Structure formats: C-alpha cells, structure tokens
Amino acid sequence: MFQKSAFQKHIDEKVEDNRRLVEADPHRLDYHLMPPAGLLNDPNGLIHHQGIYHVFFQWNPFETAHGKKAWGHYVSADLINWTLEPAALIPDAWYDKNGCYSGSAVMHDGRMHLFYTGNVKDEGDRRSTYQCLAVSEDGVDFEKKGPVLHLPDGYTPHFRDPKVWKEGDRWLMILGAQNMQGRGEAVLASSNDLTDWEFIGPIAGSGMNGLPDFGYMWECPDLFTLDSKDILIVCPQGLEAEGDDYPNLFQAGYFVGDFDSVANTYTHGDFVELDRGFDFYAPQTFTDDDGRRILIGWMGMTDDQEQDQPTIRNNWIHALTIPRTLEMRDGVLVQQPVAELRQLRGKRKHYSQLALEKDVAFREVAAPSSEILLKFNRPVDGRFEMEIRNDLKISYMDGRFTVQRKTFDGASSEQRTFALDTLSGLQIFLDRSSVEIFINGGEAVATSRYFPAENDDTIEIRGHMYFDLSLWTLEGSAINMF
C-alpha cells in the first residue's frame, strides 16, 4: 500500500467540502458517473478483472475548468452500484507534471498496467508529451514506471491517448497524433514486454485510405474486432460542418475495415458518427468476462457553452454515459444499453395500442430519472414529436430526426438533425440533467445534457401514430462519491 500523498489529501478535502452542494443540486445525476467536485472528461482505462469493473476518468478535482488532470477511479461489481476510489494517477512527476492525460488498462502477469500520456509545459507554454506506464498489484494503488515511448520524429507534441491490447504474441498500442504537416493520424507502436516499445507509424488519418483532409488532430483512437470486422473509433478535431454532419466542435465516430497485423495496415470505409446529440466525445471500449464489447463515452463537449452549465455554481461539471454494448448489424455499429440497467426499473406505467390523431396530444409525467420505451405499431404518418420536461424536444418527419434543446444560457434553442429512413422505436434514458436516446434498437443514438426546471416532469407526445408506451421510474443505483 502506497502512502496517501498530499495531493490526494487535498482531493479528499475538496470533495468533502463540496458534498453539501452536490447532494442538494437538482441537476445531480442518479445513475451516471459524475465528479464529486471539479471537472470530469474522458473515460480511461476501462477494464473488467476478477469480477470488478474499473472506470478511470480524466479529473480536475479543484476547479470546473480544463486544468491539471489526474485519473479518477470508480469501481463496480455490477455496472449499477459504483464506489469512488482514491485517484489512480496524479500529476506529480517530471514527465506528467501538467496532467496525466488519457490512456488505457491491460492485465499482465496478474498486475494491472495503466498506459497514459504525460503532459508537460514549459514557461513559454510549449508542450512536451510522453507515453507512460503505471503498475498495480491490487488495481487501486499504482506505481509509476515513467515514460515507455517518446515522441517520434515527424510528429508534433499533440501525440497522446494510448490504447493497448494484445495481438497474437505481441502488444500493440494505437495513439492519436498530429503530424508535422498539421494533419491528424492514428499511429501504431508494438512491444513484446509492455516496457520497450517500437514506433511503427500511421495506419489511418487525414489524407490516407482515400480520406480527404480530415482534421488537424485525431484523439482517443480505439481499434478492436467485432463480428469479424475491425472497427476503428477515433475523434477527429477540425472537421467543418457539412449539412447535418459534424455540427459539434469535435467529432466522435468510427470506420469499419480490415486490420492486417502482419503488414500493420488498415483499410476502411467511410467515417460514421457514433452519436448524433450535443454531448458525446472520447469514447473507449473494453471486453468484459462475458465477452461483451462495452462502450462508455464522455457526456460533455469542450465548446463555448461549457461554462454556462448551471452545475458549475455547485462546483462540478460533466459526466460519463451509461455503459453500452456494441454489435454489428448490416454493417452498422449498433449501441444498446447494458442489460444490467433493467435492474433500476421501479414503478411502471404502460399503455398499449395508443392512437393519436393530428393535433391531438398525449400527456404523462416522467420522473426526472426515468426510462421511456416507445414502440410504433405502424409507420409514422406525418410528424412525430415528443417534448420532455418543457426543455428538450424530439421530432421525426419526412425521413429526418431532430433533437432540440434550450441553450444552457436560456437565451435560445439549438438542434441536431440527421437522416433516418424509418422510425420504429425509441428507448430514452433520463437522469435529471441528461438524456440518452436509442433509436430503432440502437441503430442511432443521441446523447445530450439538458437542464429543465426542477418541478416540471411532463412529457407530451403529438402527431399521427399508433404506439405502445412504457415508462419506468429508475431507482436503486448507488453512486458512492463521498
């Protein structure tokens, strides 16, 4: 057991000082992972070992801004009840003094290995970057081993987010990078022992594999096999909006392709956005003991609205998405809520064979933490519209799906729209100030934060349609942050 550092004691004091504000916050989340104080962003080091799920995350516990990041750490036996452990990594070494940035976790020889990016800035704000290793016997206390991969020639210090996995008899590491021409790439390194790493080079990126200029930096890459296809998830920065596509400041999406682990090449198809809402970035996946490929993302965005979120007055901001299982369906990466979330279902309201005519509204009450399941018995004729808590509106008409919300400053509204051939069903998870919409069994997903009035729990459905509706109050989750 390593001695608790002054940094961790400072975290503990900050968390305890913030307890009253968080517990009284009407926007506090009930079943999503959120910070007890400060700012949370990327999920890191997702791993399932000896029956315990580990979710590490980027964390600035001292302010609601993107400053000096540590790695926070939640653990769970069931993906429902979570406990906050001591910070796994803190920025206290010469190679990570300005932040322990994103990375991943693997098990080897009975020990948990964390790979992460050490961020260093000098007096002139010039950046240096190091890919680092920390090791633990118990999955809680970690001993830093220092840098294992230095910045290769041909790349700027925007070189980070190592995701490590075993391929045959060697270990591979994929990283996000920016080359000296200012183009984003996903690059590869290999090792036989997790300590000595050899840089291989890019396998995908802007200007490669038939892509045009496709962003100045690629973050948080993740390469894995699913249903005999090799999926590359990546977060390109610098994409301009094209019609309905790429409306957020930064994007998160995937390629479907084939990875040749002998030639170290990757061929792929088109880029597809993973989530069509306002607040989704930096997803990471892992495989649990049941063989499920599970994804968790950051339910946030570093945009101009970030500092308008009302939780800042209570000294916390952002959260992680619910865990989602992944599968391929007709060449599309489908996301579905993990089955464990059904354990949260409490009181149910159910309506069968409802029929709405045009200009007629169906009204109900949904608790701030709810699951809404809506199945259409016939194709929607005309317009479908659902308004949630007088703040968020979902609509479908003429092959287009739209999510609209009030801006965080309350001055106006904004929307995200995308093409959808047909609408057959919706599964919606509400958690006080978040909404995750799974469309047509997870063929599309839209994730957003929203901040409705505390006393407004109404939902209203309008249009011309025939549907079944179930509403559950979600309860029973324990997020032990204090």
Side-chain angles (χ1 to χ4, degrees), residues 35 105 108 210 319 322 384 394:
H108 181 58
I322 57 175
F384 157 79
I394 310 164

Side-chain angles (χ1 to χ4, degrees), residues 82-133:
W82 296 88
T83 298
L84 184 70
E85 297 285 354
L89 300 173
I90 59 176
D92 62 353
W94 67 264
Y95 47 80
D96 62 15
K97 69 183 182 71
N98 293 103
C100 299
Y101 279 14
S102 293
S104 57
V106 296
M107 293 300 303
H108 181 58
D109 289 340
R111 299 191 299 170
M112 188 178 295
H113 293 61
L114 300 186
F115 291 88
Y116 69 101
T117 299
N119 184 49
V120 178
K121 292 185 178 180
D122 65 14
E123 295 80 1
D125 206 35
R126 290 179 292 267
R127 183 192 302 267
S128 299
T129 184
Y130 306 91
Q131 309 315 313
C132 305
L133 170 64

